[in-house]
Amino acid sequence: MTRELLIGTYTERLPHVDGHADGVLSARFDGTRLSEPVVAARVQNPSWLAVSPDGTAVYAVSETEPDGRIVAFARSSDGTLTELGSASSGGPSPAHLVVHPSRPLLVAGTYGGGTVSVFALREDGSLAERTAFVQHEGSGPEPSRQDGPHVHQLSIDPVTGDVVVVDLGLGEVRWYALTDDGRLTLRPDVTVVLGSAGPRHLAFDADGRHAVLVNELDSSVDVLRRDGDRFVRVQSTSTRGDAASGDNLPAAVCISASGRTVLVSNRGDDTIAVFAFDRDASRLSLVDVVEVGGRAPRDLVIAPDGDRVLAACQDSDEVAVFAFDDASRTLRPLGRTSIPTPVRLAFV
């Protein structure tokens, strides 16, 4: 089945990336390759995208300084994006946003500012008032990367409905209770402290009992297990093979629908780490480390049919496609498509 894929990119050269795309891109995925991408919306550095549950609205960060933007789009049945407006992200360099799965709310976070904002959404998908704003304070133990708060990812706890904030700069994962009207209240007793590991991205298992967290600064991945109304860290293991050397910065983590397989992208090694996940034991075991064939794999997604994996290779301007067998936990290269500075991959 052919599916639409929206691609977040960088459009300008920044200290960490040579961006040269033209905005949000759109392509069709046929199971092997992507079609020639087209510009769906001209946005400055739309490095992260989120799609509403019904696919009728799309949201993009504009990763800029000294203040970033959150941009809302209506998506028509033919895939056309029409801008509905934008709002300040509440700080520099917004890095992530997420649409609440069942409430008309959007949560956005800034890497440069260490802030979290909640926006109400109107019926047409446009941004309404900002209902909550949180400024993280403090720093972490690694001065070169943790000089202040750096919110890197947001998600919604599938059991409690809390907003989960991964802050690389503080070295913490924080849970915030979210009210129906979009207010946030920190639950300090459930904060998970990772320190110099540098937590970057978290994925919830479909069982609701586990989450897997990838750490950027020490190339590790952790298993978090729900214990009552909080999570505890029960395992930490490397994302790299025994022969790996040199600098490496993991980026993305995803879990197969069955919960059998966990995948992590490694920038530097330019690989995908494949783990077997034992839910009963709450443990990961490294099965394989697969070369991506491109440089700096950022986002890593399992296609909706469950048998393909796509990796956005930011620094080599391509999206790599793999056949994925969840039963045997294997990845087989199928091809690569030229895409300028791809960062985020979002199926619609």
Side-chain angles (χ1 to χ4, degrees):
M1 177 187 295
T2 301
R3 296 184 179 273
E4 182 183 358
L5 185 70
L6 293 174
I7 305 167
T9 70
Y10 284 104
T11 62
E12 62 185 5
R13 178 173 292 181
L14 298 172
H16 66 286
V17 62
D18 180 16
H20 46 270
D22 292 321
V24 178
L25 305 180
S26 176
R28 305 294 292 178
F29 177 60
D30 65 5
T32 303
R33 295 180 56 83
L34 277 66
S35 64
E36 184 74 19
V38 299
V39 179
R42 296 189 181 276
V43 179
Q44 187 177 4
N45 299 327
S47 58
W48 197 265
L49 310 172
V51 181
S52 65
D54 63 2
T56 62
V58 174
Y59 304 91
V61 303
S62 180
E63 189 177 323
T64 57
E65 296 181 355
D67 189 30
R69 306 290 295 175
I70 305 300
V71 189
F73 300 91
R75 178 180 171 274
S76 65
S77 57
D78 65 0
T80 300
L81 298 185
T82 303
E83 185 172 336
L84 297 172
S86 66
S88 166
S89 60
S93 300
H96 206 269
L97 42 73
V98 62
V99 183
H100 195 284
S102 60
R103 302 186 206 171
L105 298 171
L106 175 76
V107 190
T110 66
Y111 183 87
T115 65
V116 180
S117 296
V118 181
F119 296 90
L121 299 176
R122 299 187 180 94
E123 189 171 345
D124 65 355
S126 60
L127 300 171
E129 71 276 8
R130 190 191 309 262
T131 61
F133 177 80
V134 175
Q135 173 68 66
H136 284 184
E137 303 286 351
S139 59
E142 173 50 59
S144 65
R145 292 293 308 277
Q146 296 180 313
D147 56 329
H150 298 306
V151 172
H152 216 308
Q153 192 221 15
L154 306 145
S155 54
I156 306 298
D157 186 316
V159 173
T160 66
D162 291 344
V163 173
V164 183
V165 181
V166 180
D167 191 315
L168 187 151
L170 298 184
E172 296 180 354
V173 182
R174 295 182 171 184
W175 267 253
Y176 287 86
L178 177 67
T179 63
D180 289 341
D181 59 354
R183 310 272 177 198
L184 294 176
T185 303
L186 177 65
R187 299 178 60 204
D189 57 312
V190 301
T191 296
V192 178
V193 178
L194 289 305
S196 60
R200 177 185 172 94
H201 272 216
L202 175 147
F204 282 99
D205 185 14
D207 71 355
R209 182 170 170 255
H210 294 95
V212 178
L213 174 70
V214 66
N215 299 298
E216 179 173 334
L217 302 187
D218 71 352
S219 294
S220 67
V221 59
D222 298 336
V223 177
L224 308 181
R225 185 174 61 209
R226 196 181 298 274
D227 182 11
D229 64 353
R230 62 191 299 268
F231 276 84
V232 294
R233 185 187 190 192
V234 294
Q235 186 199 13
S236 184
T237 189
S238 175
T239 68
R240 313 178 75 182
D242 293 337
S245 61
D247 294 336
N248 184 63
L249 300 170
V253 58
C254 57
I255 307 175
S256 65
S258 70
R260 288 176 46 85
T261 309
V262 171
L263 305 174
V264 174
S265 60
N266 284 305
R267 297 168 295 163
D269 293 349
D270 296 335
T271 61
I272 298 173
V274 183
F275 295 90
F277 182 43
D278 184 335
R279 282 173 167 166
D280 292 335
S282 302
R283 292 194 65 81
L284 293 171
S285 302
L286 185 65
V287 173
D288 199 4
V289 179
V290 179
E291 292 188 3
V292 174
R295 300 195 310 278
R298 285 285 302 266
D299 200 14
L300 189 67
V301 297
I302 300 173
D305 291 336
D307 61 352
R308 296 290 186 269
V309 168
L310 286 75
C313 300
Q314 173 189 283
D315 292 351
S316 56
D317 297 332
E318 56 194 338
V319 172
V321 180
F322 298 83
F324 171 54
D325 187 324
D326 188 27
S328 61
R329 302 185 177 94
T330 56
L331 292 173
R332 177 172 56 86
L334 291 179
R336 298 194 295 272
T337 302
S338 295
I339 305 286
T341 331
V343 180
R344 163 67 167 153
L345 304 173
F347 280 100
V348 182

